[in-house]
Amino acid sequence: MATLSIVSDVVCPWCYIGKHRLFQALDTVREKHPSAVITIDWLPFELNPELPPAGVPRDEYCERKFGTIARANRIYAEIAANAQADGLPIKLDRISTTPNTLSAHRLICYASRLGQANAVVDGLFRAYFVEGKNIGDKDTLIDIGYLVGLEANPIRKLLDEEVISNELIAQREQAYDSGAQGVPAFLWNGNWLFIGAQSPETIVQIIEQRLNQA
């Protein structure tokens, strides 16, 4: 059995695209290697830890990060084209707030204990990149958890306490200790695998190499 860890932030569009490509690749790997057991876990990476809890207006963030809105639009247009070429829905123009993602990572950490991390990550990506929701907002996070079958009250309690669990701290340390300076990044049994939203074909080759080494 192998563990494939994904170092990711849920406001990173390449993480959204990379997750889609990874799971396409995993479908192929499992068809070719039916006896292989690969589990997925998620490690948190905050691209913008300095943002206030309420986040910042999207235009303000883009001007600060890219210098001008026009430059940001050119960069995001290329990203959107990549997503659309993959058949992946993306509506960047709907995003009005760039959130602080700490609470979203806390939700993912909680969901991982219940075996629902992948579903929650999908919900977060869809809420942000398709629906334009503020995924730093507590009620939005509660709704995302509820839609994948998690009870609302434990999530609300978790977010209201605003305590970073030891589990999340350990995951964050693992992500940074891996050497990841950008996301998405991927680890195989805790060791470096690859970085970036690689094509499904490339990912299949990389994973098969690791399986053949086992």
Side-chain angles (χ1 to χ4, degrees), residues 91 94-97 126-135:
K91 302 288 184 182
R94 294 182 178 177
I95 301 172
S96 61
T97 300
R126 178 170 184 81
Y128 188 64
F129 288 112
V130 181
E131 299 168 357
K133 293 181 178 178
N134 180 359
I135 56 171

Side-chain angles (χ1 to χ4, degrees), residues 5-207:
S5 302
I6 306 170
V7 185
S8 168
D9 197 358
V10 285
V11 292
C12 166
W14 287 114
C15 293
Y16 175 48
I17 295 169
K19 192 263 184 189
H20 177 71
R21 292 176 179 176
L22 171 68
F23 276 69
Q24 284 185 314
L26 288 174
D27 285 342
T28 300
V29 169
R30 286 166 178 149
E31 287 178 4
K32 296 172 68 175
H33 304 270
S35 62
V37 179
I38 303 171
T39 61
I40 302 295
D41 67 9
W42 294 86
L43 299 179
F45 190 100
E46 294 175 72
L47 288 171
N48 307 294
E50 77 287 351
L51 291 185
V56 296
R58 181 69 170 174
D59 285 351
E60 176 185 328
Y61 170 79
C62 287
E63 285 184 339
R64 184 189 310 168
K65 182 175 178 67
F66 300 108
T68 66
I69 297 297
R71 181 167 182 264
N73 287 340
R74 289 194 298 271
I75 291 169
Y76 285 122
E78 180 183 352
I79 292 169
N82 273 269
Q84 290 160 0
D86 285 3
L88 195 60
I90 191 165
K91 302 288 184 182
L92 296 173
D93 58 313
R94 294 182 178 177
I95 301 172
S96 61
T97 300
T98 298
N100 181 301
T101 57
L102 177 58
S103 290
H105 287 302
R106 292 168 66 211
L107 176 60
I108 296 168
C109 182
Y110 171 72
S112 68
R113 303 174 202 162
L114 305 173
Q116 292 292 337
N118 290 338
V120 164
V121 170
D122 279 340
L124 288 162
F125 279 145
R126 178 170 184 81
Y128 188 64
F129 288 112
V130 181
E131 299 168 357
K133 293 181 178 178
N134 180 359
I135 56 171
D137 175 73
K138 290 179 183 178
D139 289 335
T140 299
L141 294 172
I142 291 166
D143 288 343
I144 291 169
Y146 182 77
L147 286 173
V148 302
L150 303 183
E151 294 184 18
N153 286 338
I155 298 174
R156 184 178 298 278
K157 184 175 184 296
L158 170 78
L159 299 178
D160 283 346
E161 288 179 349
E162 297 184 351
V163 174
I164 303 176
S165 68
N166 290 334
E167 182 180 4
L168 181 57
I169 292 171
Q171 289 178 349
R172 187 160 58 181
E173 289 177 351
Q174 183 182 354
Y176 286 97
D177 288 348
S178 73
Q181 297 181 355
V183 286
F186 303 85
L187 310 177
W188 184 268
N189 290 335
N191 298 310
W192 193 256
L193 188 62
F194 66 91
I195 189 169
Q198 304 291 337
S199 71
E201 294 78 15
T202 297
I203 297 171
V204 169
Q205 292 177 3
I206 293 170
I207 292 176

